[in-house]
Amino acid sequence: MDKKIINSISGRLSLRAPQRESLEALATAIEATGDRLLDPKHDVSEMLDAIKAEFPNLQDFEREFPSLCFALATGVGKTRLMGAFISYLYLAHGIKNFFVLAPNLTIYEKLIADFSPGTPKYVFKGISEFAIEAPVVITGDNYEQRGSQLSRDLLGDQQIVTVNIFNISKINSEVRGGKAPRIKRLSEYLGDSYFNYLASLPDLVLLMDESHRYRASAGVKALNELKPILGLELTATPFVETSRGTTPFQNVVVDYPLARAMDDGFVKEPAVVTQRNFDVSQYNKEELETIKLMDGIRLHEATKVELITYAHESDVRVVKPFMLVIARDTTHATALKEKLEAIFDGKYLGKVIQVDSSSKEEETVAALLNVENSDEPTEIVIHVNMLKEGWDVTNLYTIVPLRAANARTLIEQSIGRGLRLPYGKRTGVEPVDRLSIVAHDKFQEIVDEANNPDNPLRLKQLILDHPEDAIETESVQVSSNINALVSGGETTGSAGTQYSITLPTQPLFISEPEKKAAKAALAIIKEYQTKPQQAPTSQSLQSEGLQQAMILAVKEHLTQGQQSLLEDEQQVDIADIVAKTTALVVNNTIDIPRIIVTPKGTVTSGYRTFTLDLTGIKGLRPQERSLVSQSLQTNQQTEIGEGGSGNYEPIKENYILKKLFDYDDIPYDEHADLLYDLARQAEECLSTVNDEKDVINILQNQSDAIARLIHAQMDKHFYEEATEYEVDVRSGFTTLKDCSYTAAQGRDLKSYRDTVSDVSKIKQMLFGGFSKCLYPIQKFDSDTERRFSIILERDAIKWFKPAKGQFKMYYKRGTEHPEYVPDFVAETNDYVLMIETKSAQHRNQDQSWNEEVTEKMKAGVKWCLNASNYLKANGGKEWKYLLIPHDEVKEANTLGSFIAKFECQDQ
């Protein structure tokens, strides 16, 4: 077993423990056979005996070729594991041909996206060997063209890894039609079938995603004829259900069930919910249904508040939860929709969708997946049938089953719907990590079934990722003009798109010795950026003393370990190359000092007055009876709400204030007025939508949730100030960082002057054609930025859009200090400008800029002040900070007018 490669892959792909365990199991199986498992001439029975010695649970391959099953619970990451398998088999054993099977169209399209470079969930991201030449993806849609071309290209030694992705359901349908699947027919491109081409490969490995869905199908049996050297099966349910019962897989080598995933915190914790002391016999069917729906909504609204609170506390996106109602039939579903849209004075009107069998499967999946979008209004989904694989949302938090079913069915077909975590991991906040199943009438039965040792809680799971945008993207690394002028060459995206760039001048160095010397000079120049005493600015690099020092350093660099380059028949003028390289750097650099500011003297802190975001409070409803939630994993019970607690306060704000006092980080004496004002805002919000009795009920039972929401928002208004600061300049200038962009594949660079017809797609585009920009390619976040670049090209000496990490400048956001990356930097004859352009949506009602924009502006102004003080003392230019509204960006306006009108001063 090559531990070094396993460690490398595990680190690069950030594999979780069960993923690494699976990768090590594959390596162990190969090692147990003395690597003969990967020999196309191996004896299958001998392979089985050798591997069984390492994996006692392995009984049979159940194929005509060696096949190993990795049973991993939903949410653990089976697609990434496939990427790890392929990476290991290639890096450790030189395997270059893979065939991936998907069970249906939705997963098929997801796999194609995840195996395509530049996509958000690219499975090989971090594998450097695939960064230069990514594996070729051949699909059931393009194999006749790409596959045939590849087969011709690979008549010699194959150098590239190929991943074939096919949809087994389509193969099955063609087999059932009494004809051979299309890939097995003669191809006009190959002269033979692509199927036979694959079968002739000596190193084909078959990967089967969700293999339980098609294990016994005719299509899979036909795939035996592919003659793969090895099969790798991945599923969350390692058994096949037939009319005769459940048949477990006999080739499982790794079993990571849902129970372990729960213990390790990779999925939500399912809990069954009922009311305290609930007697189901006291209610008829319709009354029970109404109670469950109302309790489900109550729990849904409480969860909404907890999610908003957590988002404020953790500075993460706000997750919009929704509730799933499982109806008996379409008639019942229609009646439920009408009822739910009418309750609470139409609060959920337009927020309930009904999904039934009249919709096409793809349309159904698309509608359900859209519920995850925070801008989409749906809060309740009514579905008739128990949902199967194909729905992979992370924001399902409450399930209300109203269809008759036994406890095992409820567990199997309800829990799998909402296991995925919205933030990818447990947060430690119970309501954010919990999936609630409202089942008053089945509460004890479900608890008993969940505690049954024969129930592994690893049943029909939900595994699909969100379908990716149809436009394939790629990653593009863009260096500054300096590197391009020294080294030459084009910019190439990760998917192979070549971008023809425009440079302000022709490359200065032609011969390889010249380029080598220029690269050495550039490396020496970069060393001086951390020596502000010797090189306080880039201009100082042209002094006689530094030029001589750099010439000597370049000569020493070029003669290390070999004969001097000067003895080569192609003589180069080192002094001339150093001078030209230095001039190139000076002309294509804007001096950005590296400034470290540390507080001195007295430091004060506190909270500024603000208006509460009341979104999460408005939906709270009075609690008539307590709800009881019991964990299906730990059996721990949690009481949700206390009903009529009898805890009466004559001043309603005191319910909230008492909870706020429990937070140790809030000095009450210093902030009493602020705390009372925030409690008053919450109480007044509740009073506008509830009568006084209901307001008291909410405050008695849910004041802790309100207090958490207030506390989370207070963090955003925390301040810390010092009486004085110490400024330390570590670098007089800094070289420009490479920019990383994600853009649509195969698109030419657009001219920055060209009008963009569909501005919603501008973030997929790359722009070029600049003469004054310090990068040959730029990407804009809005059309306003593109239009502003036209002004900069006309009025500035040089400009660029900085990459993250260029300034290492931070602004205050609550108690956090994220990095601030301004929109533009531009140099004029008199000034250097740090520029931010902002739309009207960032303004408050009084037209002032919102808090985040204001804090960024403060950070930028302070930085410009410190940079100006340093640079002016060393012969450089003054920095100014401009904050320009989007609607002021017009080509008729000059850069000088913007400076006069929108310069921000230190306050």
Side-chain angles (χ1 to χ4, degrees):
M1 182 189 303
D2 195 324
K3 280 286 187 181
K4 184 177 180 181
I5 293 179
I6 290 177
N7 290 337
S8 176
I9 293 173
S10 299
R12 294 182 196 177
L13 297 182
S14 300
L15 296 186
R16 292 170 165 175
Q19 294 169 323
R20 179 177 177 122
E21 178 185 343
S22 299
L23 186 59
E24 290 177 341
L26 172 61
T28 298
I30 296 172
E31 185 179 49
T33 65
D35 292 358
R36 288 177 298 146
L37 183 63
L38 303 179
D39 184 342
K41 298 179 180 180
H42 56 215
D43 182 277
V44 175
S45 61
E46 289 182 3
M47 297 300 98
L48 179 62
D49 291 338
I51 300 174
K52 281 172 69 174
E54 297 291 337
F55 301 98
N57 291 332
L58 175 66
Q59 300 298 317
D60 191 86
F61 290 142
E62 301 185 282
R63 310 275 185 194
E64 295 178 9
F65 53 87
S67 186
L68 307 175
C69 176
F70 302 83
L72 272 66
T74 283
V76 172
K78 292 186 285 293
T79 306
R80 176 165 293 195
L81 179 57
M82 283 194 279
F85 282 159
I86 292 173
S87 300
Y88 177 77
L89 289 171
Y90 170 66
L91 295 175
H93 299 282
I95 303 299
K96 298 176 182 176
N97 292 288
F98 301 89
F99 192 97
V100 180
L101 275 177
N104 55 38
L105 178 63
T106 310
I107 298 180
Y108 166 72
E109 292 177 343
K110 163 195 172 290
L111 287 172
I112 293 174
D114 290 350
F115 277 90
S116 299
T119 53
K121 296 183 179 180
Y122 182 48
V123 295
F124 299 120
K125 187 176 183 180
I127 303 298
S128 59
E129 289 80 0
F130 292 154
I132 298 175
E133 192 163 33
V136 173
V137 177
I138 299 174
T139 73
D141 301 307
N142 68 13
Y143 72 90
E144 290 179 315
Q145 291 79 30
R146 295 193 69 180
S148 60
Q149 179 62 47
L150 186 68
S151 66
R152 288 195 294 268
D153 293 343
L154 301 181
L155 291 177
D157 291 337
Q158 179 178 346
Q159 300 297 323
I160 194 168
V161 172
T162 62
V163 179
N164 299 270
I165 303 176
F166 282 81
N167 179 5
I168 187 65
S169 64
K170 191 168 186 179
I171 295 175
N172 284 339
S173 65
E174 294 188 1
V175 169
R176 285 197 297 269
K179 52 189 177 182
R182 187 161 61 102
I183 62 168
K184 203 174 179 182
R185 299 182 197 143
L186 292 178
S187 166
E188 59 183 286
Y189 298 95
L190 289 176
D192 196 357
S193 74
Y194 188 64
F195 189 96
N196 289 336
Y197 161 71
L198 291 173
S200 69
L201 295 172
D203 64 345
L204 185 66
V205 173
L206 181 63
L207 293 94
M208 294 162 270
D209 192 15
E210 295 301 320
S211 62
H212 67 280
R213 291 284 300 275
Y214 48 82
R215 208 165 201 260
S217 68
V220 169
K221 293 178 181 177
L223 290 172
N224 283 323
E225 299 174 34
L226 276 175
K227 303 174 185 175
I229 58 172
L230 176 63
L232 302 173
E233 303 183 38
L234 297 99
T235 181
T237 57
F239 52 80
V240 176
E241 292 184 349
T242 65
S243 57
R244 295 187 297 274
T246 298
T247 304
F249 289 8
Q250 298 183 53
N251 63 338
V252 175
V253 293
V254 173
D255 188 15
Y256 187 80
L258 179 57
R260 283 183 63 188
M262 289 180 183
D263 290 338
D264 293 340
F266 293 141
V267 296
K268 290 181 190 146
E269 182 177 351
V272 60
V273 178
T274 189
Q275 291 183 5
R276 175 71 65 192
N277 301 320
F278 189 82
D279 185 357
V280 68
S281 65
Q282 299 299 308
Y283 305 96
N284 62 36
K285 186 175 182 179
E286 185 174 345
E287 290 172 336
L288 178 62
E289 179 179 284
T290 300
I291 290 171
K292 291 171 69 175
L293 285 173
M294 295 303 104
D295 282 343
I297 289 173
R298 177 146 58 103
L299 197 56
H300 166 71
E301 289 293 344
T303 301
K304 192 190 302 183
V305 175
E306 297 289 355
L307 286 166
I308 294 172
T309 301
Y310 178 76
H312 282 298
E313 288 175 336
S314 307
D315 193 25
V316 293
R317 62 185 175 86
V318 176
V319 172
K320 178 204 73 175
F322 76 93
M323 180 174 82
L324 173 66
V325 180
I326 302 172
R328 295 189 296 272
D329 50 43
T330 54
T331 302
H332 184 218
T334 302
L336 287 173
K337 186 173 186 290
E338 293 175 357
K339 177 189 289 188
L340 289 167
E341 289 190 325
I343 61 174
F344 299 133
D345 298 322
K347 173 181 173 62
Y348 296 100
L349 185 64
K351 299 180 180 180
V352 183
I353 63 172
Q354 177 183 342
V355 182
D356 54 41
S357 57
S358 63
S359 303
K360 294 182 179 179
E361 180 181 354
E362 289 78 10
E363 293 175 353
T364 299
V365 171
L368 293 171
L369 285 170
N370 197 38
V371 174
E372 193 173 28
N373 189 332
S374 60
D375 297 327
E376 202 272 344
T378 300
E379 293 192 42
I380 302 174
V381 174
I382 304 172
H383 199 278
V384 174
N385 296 315
M386 300 293 187
L387 299 172
K388 298 180 179 180
E389 291 94 341
W391 191 23
D392 181 25
V393 291
T394 61
N395 59 330
L396 172 56
Y397 274 88
T398 308
I399 300 176
V400 182
L402 300 178
R403 183 181 185 183
N406 60 36
R408 182 179 180 86
T409 301
L410 284 173
I411 293 175
E412 293 177 7
Q413 301 193 3
S414 293
I415 288 178
R417 304 301 160 253
L419 284 175
R420 289 185 179 267
L421 291 161
Y423 298 110
K425 60 182 179 180
R426 293 263 183 93
T427 64
V429 180
E430 182 185 347
V432 178
D433 298 335
R434 182 182 63 216
L435 171 66
S436 299
I437 305 168
V438 180
H440 300 4
D441 48 336
K442 298 285 185 178
F443 179 81
Q444 192 58 50
E445 188 180 341
I446 290 175
V447 170
D448 292 342
E449 177 61 33
N451 290 334
N452 183 345
D454 295 331
N455 184 358
L457 285 181
R458 188 196 60 225
L459 302 165
K460 291 185 178 178
Q461 305 296 323
L462 191 67
I463 52 85
L464 280 186
D465 289 324
H466 198 292
E468 305 295 344
D469 195 331
I471 297 177
E472 292 188 346
T473 58
E474 65 179 342
S475 178
V476 183
Q477 308 294 315
V478 180
S479 297
S480 70
N481 289 343
I482 295 173
N483 291 331
L485 288 169
V486 168
S487 304
E490 294 184 328
T491 299
T492 304
S494 61
T497 304
Q498 294 208 349
Y499 299 93
S500 298
I501 60 177
T502 301
L503 296 172
T505 63
Q506 293 296 318
L508 300 179
F509 310 107
I510 307 302
S511 69
E512 284 305 313
E514 286 180 330
K515 290 181 179 180
K516 185 180 294 186
K519 290 177 182 179
L522 191 59
I524 299 302
I525 289 172
K526 288 181 178 180
E527 293 178 5
Y528 277 98
Q529 70 180 6
T530 58
K531 302 173 182 178
Q533 293 79 16
Q534 299 178 49
T537 66
S538 60
Q539 291 280 352
S540 62
L541 294 169
Q542 294 180 311
S543 68
E544 182 64 27
L546 287 183
Q547 284 287 292
Q548 291 301 318
M550 286 190 287
I551 291 171
L552 291 175
V554 170
K555 288 181 177 180
E556 181 180 353
H557 176 83
L558 293 175
T559 56
Q560 287 179 352
Q562 58 182 2
Q563 291 297 314
S564 172
L565 180 66
L566 299 177
E567 298 175 5
D568 193 277
E569 61 182 2
Q570 286 185 285
Q571 295 288 325
V572 295
D573 186 341
I574 299 296
D576 180 63
I577 288 176
V578 169
K580 287 181 178 179
T581 305
T582 305
L584 180 65
V585 170
V586 171
N587 293 333
N588 288 274
T589 296
I590 294 177
D591 284 353
I592 302 174
R594 178 73 72 234
I595 300 172
I596 306 297
V597 180
T598 54
K600 291 175 60 179
T602 303
V603 178
T604 59
S605 63
Y607 299 91
R608 291 190 171 88
T609 302
F610 66 97
T611 301
L612 272 177
D613 177 358
L614 300 167
T615 307
I617 296 175
K618 288 179 180 178
L620 293 176
R621 291 291 178 266
Q623 296 186 352
E624 298 178 3
R625 304 182 68 174
S626 298
L627 293 182
V628 179
S629 168
Q630 178 159 333
S631 167
L632 298 182
Q633 182 183 7
T634 65
N635 290 319
Q636 178 180 349
Q637 286 193 350
T638 301
E639 188 163 325
I640 306 170
E642 301 172 359
S645 66
N647 177 26
Y648 179 73
E649 291 285 346
I651 300 175
K652 290 193 283 290
E653 289 84 352
N654 287 351
Y655 290 107
I656 302 171
L657 289 172
K658 289 172 64 176
K659 299 295 183 181
L660 287 172
F661 295 163
D662 292 336
Y663 290 95
D664 296 333
D665 59 338
I666 304 177
Y668 171 72
D669 292 337
E670 298 174 21
H671 300 92
D673 291 342
L674 172 62
L675 294 175
Y676 181 82
D677 178 64
L678 296 174
R680 177 190 56 77
Q681 292 181 47
E683 185 275 326
E684 289 180 353
C685 171
L686 292 172
S687 296
T688 59
V689 293
N690 298 279
D691 58 31
E692 184 171 0
K693 180 181 176 182
D694 287 344
V695 170
I696 293 174
N697 179 293
I698 295 170
L699 291 173
Q700 283 182 333
N701 300 305
Q702 301 177 70
S703 56
D704 53 347
I706 297 173
R708 284 196 298 275
L709 181 60
I710 292 174
H711 181 255
Q713 293 188 42
M714 287 180 68
D715 281 345
K716 290 181 173 289
H717 299 275
F718 177 81
Y719 69 88
E720 186 175 76
E721 298 172 344
T723 55
E724 59 178 310
Y725 296 87
E726 183 176 33
V727 179
D728 180 21
V729 178
R730 304 286 177 86
S731 302
F733 64 96
T734 52
T735 53
L736 297 182
K737 293 176 64 67
D738 288 353
C739 295
S740 298
Y741 301 133
T742 298
Q745 289 184 20
R747 304 284 181 86
D748 292 332
L749 292 179
K750 292 183 67 69
S751 169
Y752 71 98
R753 289 189 172 277
D754 290 348
T755 300
V756 177
S757 56
D758 187 355
V759 295
S760 66
K761 295 182 179 179
I762 197 167
K763 292 185 179 181
Q764 301 170 358
M765 304 172 185
L766 296 179
F767 293 83
F770 308 108
S771 61
K772 296 181 180 179
C773 182
L774 301 186
Y775 289 90
I777 297 173
Q778 294 277 242
K779 184 179 180 181
F780 302 119
D781 291 329
S782 66
D783 195 52
T784 300
E785 290 189 357
R786 180 194 64 81
R787 287 186 282 111
F788 193 76
S789 73
I790 297 175
I791 298 172
L792 294 177
E793 281 287 300
R794 183 189 67 209
D795 295 348
I797 297 174
K798 45 192 171 183
W799 67 274
F800 68 99
K801 284 181 64 62
K804 185 177 181 180
Q806 184 68 64
F807 281 86
K808 295 189 182 299
M809 176 172 49
Y810 302 90
Y811 68 100
K812 189 180 76 65
R813 186 169 64 191
T815 57
E816 302 294 324
H817 290 81
E819 182 180 355
Y820 170 38
V821 182
D823 291 336
F824 295 93
V825 172
E827 184 174 343
T828 68
N829 289 325
D830 301 313
Y831 308 108
V832 179
L833 307 174
M834 181 182 292
I835 304 167
E836 188 78 18
T837 60
K838 285 297 177 188
S839 64
Q841 71 183 35
H842 295 93
R843 289 190 183 275
N844 299 318
Q845 289 185 349
D846 63 0
Q847 294 305 299
S848 62
W849 294 107
N850 67 19
E851 183 181 10
E852 183 166 3
V853 173
T854 301
E855 290 299 328
K856 287 180 177 179
M857 180 266 291
K858 289 179 180 178
V861 169
K862 287 284 188 185
W863 190 96
C864 288
L865 179 62
N866 292 325
S868 297
N869 291 337
Y870 170 79
L871 289 169
K872 286 194 295 183
N874 290 280
K877 295 178 180 179
E878 178 184 357
W879 278 73
K880 291 180 178 290
Y881 185 89
L882 307 185
L883 178 53
I884 305 174
H886 271 201
D887 55 9
E888 294 283 348
V889 178
K890 302 171 184 176
E891 290 185 45
N893 294 337
T894 65
L895 196 53
S897 70
F898 288 130
I899 297 173
K901 191 174 181 180
F902 298 112
E903 180 187 357
C904 300
Q905 303 285 349
D906 186 31
Q907 300 176 353

